[in-house]
Amino acid sequence: DAKTTQPNSMESNEEEPVHLPCNHSTISGTDYIHWYRQLPSQGPEYVIHGLTSNVNNRMASLAIAEDRKSSTLILHRATLRDAAVYYCILRASIIQGAQKLVFGQGTRLTINP
Amino acid sequence: DTEVTQTPKHLVMGMTNKKSLKCEQHMGHRAMYWYKQKAKKPPELMFVYSYEKLSINESVPSRFSPECPNSSLLNLHLHALQPEDSALYLCASSHPLYGPGNTIYFGEGSWLTVV
């Protein structure tokens, strides 16, 4: 399974943009890039996913490098509620309709007021 | 209703006890998952059920026994656990998927302490 590499921690200020990087140099052509986040004392929650093109949704934007070996999750205006561990995940495989998501170590994001 | 409900939220059990963790979803999802998460570590996949059949077992010790009695319910039966099995156990579900990325919905987890 292809692996992802993320910084252990990042810090930002409230109401500023945050760019969370992820390296996945061994990504295969069919691997989708997923981002999940885990708020304190909660289960992970879906943020965004993409394959080749940049993606936007109400939570964030995903910028994917042209060679797909890296991607960046962008929170346009961070709030204190965005403090969480952010996981960049390559969807490893699909078996009988079920996804095998393998979580990496993630980035712990701290937001300063 | 985009919710995965797990019970109990907290469980303390002795090493000789038998207990179960329960998970329920009513989103019509046919794939359900158990993950284990130790403190300050990422979730680790344990089991995956697809259409009520076990499709992935990540070499989990037999003291953990999953069960999927119907498409809405997923249980994790626990027996003769060790203190190192203390962790947050996360249940998740998703639609069956043969195409582009899809969302996996996680419950809030059951905190298990083995004494």
Side-chain angles (χ1 to χ4, degrees):
Chain A
D1 296 338
K3 294 202 185 315
T4 62
T5 304
Q6 299 176 252
N8 288 334
S9 62
M10 289 185 65
E11 201 168 324
S12 185
N13 297 321
E14 200 175 8
E15 299 188 4
E16 290 184 357
V18 180
H19 289 64
L20 296 163
C22 180
N23 287 324
H24 27 78
S25 57
T26 59
I27 191 171
S28 74
T30 56
D31 283 339
Y32 279 78
I33 302 158
H34 290 246
W35 284 82
Y36 280 74
R37 72 179 185 180
Q38 189 170 19
L39 303 172
S41 301
Q42 294 191 24
E45 66 173 346
Y46 169 82
V47 178
I48 201 166
H49 76 272
L51 182 62
T52 55
S53 304
N54 295 344
V55 184
N56 299 299
N57 66 20
R58 63 174 180 80
M59 289 182 72
S61 296
L62 177 60
I64 301 172
E66 200 167 327
D67 63 6
R68 298 205 334 120
K69 293 185 186 302
S70 66
S71 60
T72 302
L73 179 71
I74 302 165
L75 307 179
H76 293 286
R77 204 160 165 264
T79 70
L80 296 177
R81 292 184 58 195
D82 291 322
V85 179
Y86 286 78
Y87 295 101
C88 169
I89 304 165
L90 302 183
R91 192 184 67 192
S93 56
I94 302 172
I95 300 174
Q96 298 174 6
Q99 303 178 63
K100 183 175 177 179
L101 289 188
V102 178
F103 286 76
Q105 293 303 307
T107 296
R108 184 172 299 275
L109 176 64
T110 301
I111 304 296
N112 300 315
Chain B
D1 182 12
T2 56
E3 195 172 271
V4 175
T5 304
Q6 292 188 242
T7 56
K9 291 200 184 314
H10 298 273
L11 176 63
V12 179
M13 61 183 290
M15 288 188 284
T16 58
N17 291 159
K18 282 186 181 180
K19 296 285 185 184
S20 297
L21 303 180
K22 297 186 184 303
C23 175
E24 190 168 3
Q25 56 86 16
H26 296 288
M27 295 178 279
H29 292 169
R30 302 303 294 276
M32 296 188 77
Y33 311 77
W34 280 115
Y35 281 82
K36 172 182 177 179
Q37 186 173 27
K38 302 281 279 185
K40 300 210 181 294
K41 296 291 186 183
E44 297 176 8
L45 184 65
M46 300 175 71
F47 301 105
V48 181
Y49 274 81
S50 180
Y51 294 93
E52 295 85 68
K53 288 186 170 34
L54 184 65
S55 59
I56 299 176
N57 177 342
E58 293 285 275
S59 303
V60 178
S62 60
R63 57 186 185 269
F64 295 92
S65 175
E67 178 196 20
C68 190
N70 61 54
S71 59
S72 300
L73 294 174
L74 185 66
N75 298 321
L76 186 62
H77 302 298
L78 314 170
H79 174 53
L81 295 193
Q82 303 296 311
E84 57 266 29
D85 295 321
S86 298
L88 177 67
Y89 288 84
L90 292 161
C91 175
S93 69
S94 67
H95 279 293
L97 179 64
Y98 291 96
N102 204 346
T103 300
I104 294 183
Y105 294 87
F106 285 83
E108 293 194 351
S110 292
W111 291 92
L112 173 66
T113 302
V114 181
V115 296

